[in-house]
Amino acid sequence: MSHHLTCLSCGSVNRVPAERLSAHPKCGTCGAKLAEPRVHDIDTATLRKAETKDTLPLLVDFWAPWCGPCRMMAPEFEKAARALAPNARFAKVNTQIHGDASQRYGIRGIPLLILFRGGQEVARLTGARPAAEIEAFVRSHMAAA
């Protein structure tokens, strides 16, 4: 079995054998790591591609720099990313810079976490959450898939 992963740096779609996920696979176009344990800041064009092409779960934090709860949750989101890599990937979309995200994804408040998998939105979680809750949220939907 193999996974399709959109490079969160350049937007290229890569095919990665499942057994190679923990071997730090790199993008064939730009060389960026594809399944690393960190959060990527992405734009909505990259998100649109990743949400439709990726086979691994992708959890996206929609946030803004002026949002206190968003800033408080950022370290917790990073902890959850480290805990779940390489079986899930994490990204952030700054809704202040990428205003089209609010309308496209029906965002009514931030922080908002949306989990994508296999070309569709799987679930949403609103409000600032500790790492353990974020991990449990993703794991519960990974098990259901």
Side-chain angles (χ1 to χ4, degrees), residues 14 17-18 35 44 56 76 85 103 111 120 124 131:
N14 296 262
T44 51
L56 275 184
E76 298 298 305
Q103 183 175 3
Q120 62 187 5
R124 290 179 176 225

Side-chain angles (χ1 to χ4, degrees), residues 8 39-48 50-51 58-65 70 77 90-102 104-105 107 110-114 116:
L8 300 178
V39 176
H40 293 266
D41 286 305
I42 61 173
D43 58 24
T44 51
T46 303
L47 174 55
R48 281 193 300 275
E51 77 177 84
L58 173 66
L59 185 63
V60 181
D61 175 18
F62 292 89
W63 72 288
C70 297
F77 196 65
F90 285 63
K92 295 175 84 78
V93 173
N94 182 334
T95 58
Q96 183 173 322
I97 295 171
H98 306 288
D100 59 321
S102 294
R104 178 172 175 79
Y105 297 100
I107 298 169
I110 54 174
L112 171 65
L113 303 178
I114 300 180
F116 298 97

Side-chain angles (χ1 to χ4, degrees), residues 3-61:
H3 290 285
H4 290 97
L5 300 177
T6 302
C7 177
L8 300 178
S9 294
C10 75
S12 296
V13 178
N14 296 262
R15 190 172 59 83
V16 178
E19 64 273 6
R20 300 269 308 139
L21 278 177
S22 59
H24 310 292
K26 293 183 180 179
C27 174
T29 302
C30 73
K33 292 181 180 177
L34 295 170
E36 63 184 324
R38 75 175 191 91
V39 176
H40 293 266
D41 286 305
I42 61 173
D43 58 24
T44 51
T46 303
L47 174 55
R48 281 193 300 275
K49 189 178 247 187
E51 77 177 84
T52 58
K53 304 287 184 190
D54 285 19
T55 54
L56 275 184
L58 173 66
L59 185 63
V60 181
D61 175 18

